[in-house]
């Protein structure tokens, strides 16, 4: 390794959602199979999908997933800056796992981001002094020429740490050759000298038909393509850039496994604004016979056996949205009829009687939906915790990320929240990943819904996640030039890479 430090690589992308997160995870899993000690890293992440480490730090879930791929415990070092979008074009800035304030995009890129470069690089250097290799993930595109001056996640990191860069492109979207060429050509000569080559992602068809284009790309840029990864279903785990119509985080293929009992169980998730940690329902989607869909109309709740009101970065905004859409009334009717509803974190807060918020929305006192005897007051300090408890006779683990403090005034205890009839509420994210608890909860839901649904006795969410991470490692091992990638990680970008004009303006 170079200079006594661990090796490294930066996985950049031609666009957001090109596949950087899963490629980074796949490289981590491939390397640990080779016996290397590996860590993931992303200097700055923008996501509402976050996780709490064991030391109580909030980081992006993508980096937590990559740490699992590397079989190491996630820490704040792996994602020192997390931006959590809110209302009014602002984001909460989380530094080393703790919130440090709210900033507009202009304020962040206008100066604050540059101040964070030193702690970001300190985290990377600490990881490189501890691990054999650190696989870094970029954000968006490295060719965002308007943001290059204050970049702390793409070429700014690569230049400072002298990391080789591989650029990932999503060929399924089309135009991947133009994306590779244009991305390279918009970088300065100094930045271009670190771009070692490309990785094609999500290819469908005969690779031999693609090879002439790859040869021409080499002729134009002097850079090789390190692999062509085939399109693979069900690999969108712990994503960070939003939500498509289909469930992105599911650990199952798009084809739902047949139910064990006579009936399927239909789960409707209210797609509230600023939805956070939508991966909470992944464990439900992993169950054979459970069908999960995201909804935004009251009529879509009619045939649902369970409705989930998920977490959100804007509880008051989500409440207004539920009322405007007619979903609030539909939820009240469900509760009156004894039909199951589960509120998680912000969703739990919305199901309560009253919210006092001078922190997140600054809206003051707002009426909740009144389905649970809970009053919530937002505090300046954020609760970040990894609780362990028991519910429905089963052990449960979870994690908490919230400003709201709940005053539970009745009902049956349910984790940190309560239950009234068939309405449950808790701040705990991730609780449904506890297999025994999930089965017990689904049995309760099925009974209340009158469904002959039986949870599979052997579904292990953790095992399914491991299988998926192994699939990512397999993609790299089977479809990338791993010898060349390993040389990059150990030795850096090759010398003499040609300049592709015009370069950065």
């Amino acid at each position: 390794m170079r200079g006594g430090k661990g090796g490294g690589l930066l996985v950049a992308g031609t666009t957001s959602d090109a596949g950087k997160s899963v490629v980074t995870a796949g490289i981590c899993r491939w390397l640990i199979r080779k016996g290397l000690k590996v860590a993931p890293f992303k200097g700055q992440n923008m996501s509402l999908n976050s996780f709490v480490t064991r030391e109580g730090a909030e980081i992006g879930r993508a980096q937590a997933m990559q740490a699992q791929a590397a079989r190491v415990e996630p820490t704040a070092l792996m994602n020192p800056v997390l931006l959590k979008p809110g209302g009014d074009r602002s984001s909460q800035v989380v530094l080393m796992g703790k919130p440090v304030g709210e900033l507009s995009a202009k304020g962040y890129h206008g100066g604050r981001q540059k101040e964070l470069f030193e702690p970001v690089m300190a985290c990377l250097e600490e990881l490189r002094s501890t691990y054999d290799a650190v696989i870094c993930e970029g954000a968006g595109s490295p060719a965002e020429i308007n943001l290059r001056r204050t970049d702390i996640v793409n070429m700014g990191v690569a230049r400072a740490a002298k990391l080789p860069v591989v650029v990932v492109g999503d060929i399924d979207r089309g135009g991947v050759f133009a994306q590779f060429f244009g991305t390279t050509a918009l970088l300065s000569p100094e930045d271009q000298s670190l771009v070692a080559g490309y990785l094609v992602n999500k290819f469908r068809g005969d690779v031999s038909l693609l090879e002439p284009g790859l040869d021409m790309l080499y002729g134009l840029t002097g850079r090789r393509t390190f692999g062509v990864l085939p399109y693979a279903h069900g690999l969108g785990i712990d994503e960070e850039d939003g939500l498509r119509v289909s469930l992105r985080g599911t650990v199952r293929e798009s084809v739902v496994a047949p139910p064990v009992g006579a009936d399927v169980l239909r789960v409707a998730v209210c797609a509230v604004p600023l939805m956070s940690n939508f991966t909470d329902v992944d464990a439900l989607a992993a169950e054979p016979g459970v069908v999960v869909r995201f909804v935004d109309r009251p009529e879509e709740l009619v045939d649902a056996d369970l409705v989930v009101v998920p977490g959100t970065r804007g509880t008051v905004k989500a409440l207004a949205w539920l009322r405007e859409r007619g979903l609030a009334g539909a939820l009240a009717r469900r509760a009156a009829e004894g039909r199951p509803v589960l509120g998680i974190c912000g969703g739990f807060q919305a199901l309560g009687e009253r919210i006092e918020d001078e922190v997140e929305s600054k809206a003051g006192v707002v009426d909740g939906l009144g389905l649970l005897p809970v009053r919530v007051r937002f505090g300046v300090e954020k609760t970040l915790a990894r609780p362990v408890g028991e519910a429905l006779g089963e052990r449960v683990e979870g994690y908490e990320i919230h400003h709201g403090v709940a005053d539970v005034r009745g009902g049956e205890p349910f984790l940190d929240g309560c239950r009234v009839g068939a309405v449950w509420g808790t701040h705990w994210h991730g609780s449904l990943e506890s297999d025994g608890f999930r089965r017990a909860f689904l049995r309760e839901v099925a009974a209340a819904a009158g469904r002959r649904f039986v949870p599979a006795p052997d579904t292990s969410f953790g095992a399914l996640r491991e299988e998926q991470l192994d699939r990512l490692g397999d993609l790299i091992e089977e479809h990338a030039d791993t010898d060349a990638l390993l040389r990059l990680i150990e030795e850096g970008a090759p010398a003499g890479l040609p300049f592709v004009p015009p370069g950065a303006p």
Side-chain angles (χ1 to χ4, degrees):
M1 300 295 179
R2 288 162 279 161
K5 293 180 181 178
L9 177 71
L10 187 131
V11 179
T14 57
T15 62
S16 294
D17 207 27
K20 297 182 292 291
S21 295
V22 293
V23 167
T24 299
I27 292 174
C28 286
R29 179 51 59 102
W30 155 61
L31 287 172
I32 63 111
R33 287 173 176 173
K34 291 183 65 64
L36 275 69
K37 187 180 178 186
V38 186
F41 177 79
K42 185 164 184 171
Q44 172 200 292
N45 199 343
M46 178 174 277
S47 179
L48 287 173
N49 205 17
S50 59
F51 181 75
V52 178
T53 67
R54 293 207 180 277
E55 74 267 31
E58 185 180 9
I59 66 171
R61 269 201 73 102
Q63 280 60 65
M65 175 269 291
Q66 291 159 358
Q68 187 175 351
R71 296 198 177 112
V72 295
E73 190 67 34
T75 73
L77 292 173
M78 298 171 184
N79 179 207
V81 179
L82 173 64
L83 305 179
K84 302 194 73 175
D88 301 323
R89 300 180 182 178
S90 67
S91 292
Q92 184 180 67
V93 181
V94 179
L95 176 62
M96 293 304 294
K98 305 296 180 184
V100 294
E102 297 271 341
L103 274 180
S104 67
K106 186 175 182 180
Y108 183 69
H109 291 288
R112 185 63 193 273
Q113 186 180 34
K114 200 169 183 179
E115 296 173 12
L116 298 172
F117 186 66
E118 187 174 332
V120 164
M121 292 309 301
C123 289
L124 176 56
E125 290 305 301
E126 185 171 343
L127 289 173
R128 293 185 73 188
S129 70
T130 308
Y131 290 88
D132 298 325
V134 179
I135 308 304
C136 307
E137 180 188 345
S141 161
E144 306 288 358
I145 53 179
N146 56 317
L147 303 178
R148 175 62 183 90
R149 182 178 58 85
T150 55
D151 172 45
I152 64 171
V153 64
N154 288 307
M155 299 311 299
V157 169
R159 279 269 292 278
K162 298 181 173 57
L163 291 175
V165 178
V166 171
V167 181
V168 178
D170 179 357
I171 197 170
D172 195 52
R173 294 179 170 185
V176 76
F177 293 118
Q179 292 171 22
F180 284 144
F181 181 86
T183 297
T184 309
L186 278 176
L187 300 178
S188 68
E190 295 82 4
D191 286 353
Q192 285 193 27
S193 69
L194 295 171
V195 177
Y198 314 109
L199 196 61
V200 176
N201 192 27
K202 299 183 185 178
F203 180 72
R204 308 173 192 248
D206 185 346
V207 176
S208 66
L209 299 176
L210 188 66
E211 287 171 350
L214 300 179
D215 291 340
M216 287 186 273
L217 182 66
Y218 178 80
L220 288 165
T221 67
R223 289 159 175 83
R224 55 168 303 183
T225 298
F226 290 96
V228 178
L229 308 182
Y231 191 100
H233 292 282
L235 292 182
I237 52 179
D238 290 1
E239 298 279 4
E240 60 195 34
D241 294 323
L243 190 71
R244 289 178 181 162
V245 174
S246 60
L247 182 66
R248 296 176 57 146
T250 179
V251 296
R252 285 283 186 192
E253 301 290 346
S254 56
V255 178
V256 178
V260 175
D263 292 339
V264 298
L265 208 62
R266 296 173 177 84
V267 179
V269 184
C270 296
V272 296
L274 299 173
M275 180 164 43
S276 61
N277 290 74
F278 53 81
T279 47
D280 281 334
V281 297
D282 287 0
L284 295 178
E287 284 285 347
V290 175
V291 182
V292 177
R293 67 183 188 272
F294 288 84
V295 304
D296 60 4
R297 296 179 299 178
E299 57 267 29
E300 294 177 296
L301 305 190
V302 174
D303 67 344
D305 302 306
L306 169 67
V307 174
V308 177
V309 186
T312 171
R313 172 87 162 86
T315 302
V316 170
K317 181 178 289 189
L319 262 172
W321 181 87
L322 289 168
R323 289 184 167 117
E324 290 164 5
R325 294 289 181 120
L327 288 160
L331 288 167
R333 288 190 292 274
R334 286 187 67 89
E337 295 164 1
R339 302 177 66 202
V341 176
L342 171 65
I344 302 174
C345 200
F348 165 44
Q349 297 167 4
L351 296 180
E353 298 171 347
R354 191 180 74 183
I355 294 170
E356 185 181 338
D357 181 12
E358 300 291 351
V359 176
E360 191 174 77
S361 68
K362 298 180 173 59
V365 177
V366 177
D367 287 336
L369 299 183
L371 305 185
L372 290 174
V374 177
R375 295 185 179 183
V376 176
R377 179 184 54 80
F378 274 69
V380 175
E381 294 298 317
K382 180 185 279 192
T383 297
L384 297 169
R386 289 279 293 269
V388 177
E390 185 176 302
L392 305 180
E394 299 286 347
R395 186 176 187 272
V396 189
E397 294 184 34
Y399 58 100
E400 295 183 68
I401 307 169
H402 54 92
H403 283 278
V405 179
D407 176 14
V408 179
R409 300 186 165 206
E412 300 174 43
F414 178 69
L415 301 175
D416 71 320
C418 65
R419 169 188 183 177
V420 174
V423 180
W424 293 265
T426 177
H427 274 128
W428 291 21
H429 294 291
S431 62
L432 293 167
E433 295 180 18
S434 297
D435 296 327
F437 167 71
R438 182 179 65 254
R439 294 184 194 113
F441 177 71
L442 289 176
R443 282 192 290 268
E444 293 256 352
V445 168
R451 293 287 185 188
R452 294 172 298 166
F453 169 84
V454 179
D458 56 354
T459 300
S460 167
F461 184 80
L464 288 169
R465 175 56 57 89
E466 276 297 304
E467 288 174 17
Q468 194 177 35
L469 293 172
D470 276 334
R471 288 179 63 204
L472 295 178
D474 292 343
L475 281 176
I476 299 299
E477 284 193 29
E478 295 169 11
H479 301 283
D481 186 340
T482 52
D483 289 341
L485 285 176
L486 192 58
R487 281 195 300 273
L488 276 184
I489 292 166
E490 293 179 338
E491 301 171 11
L497 290 168
F499 172 68
V500 179

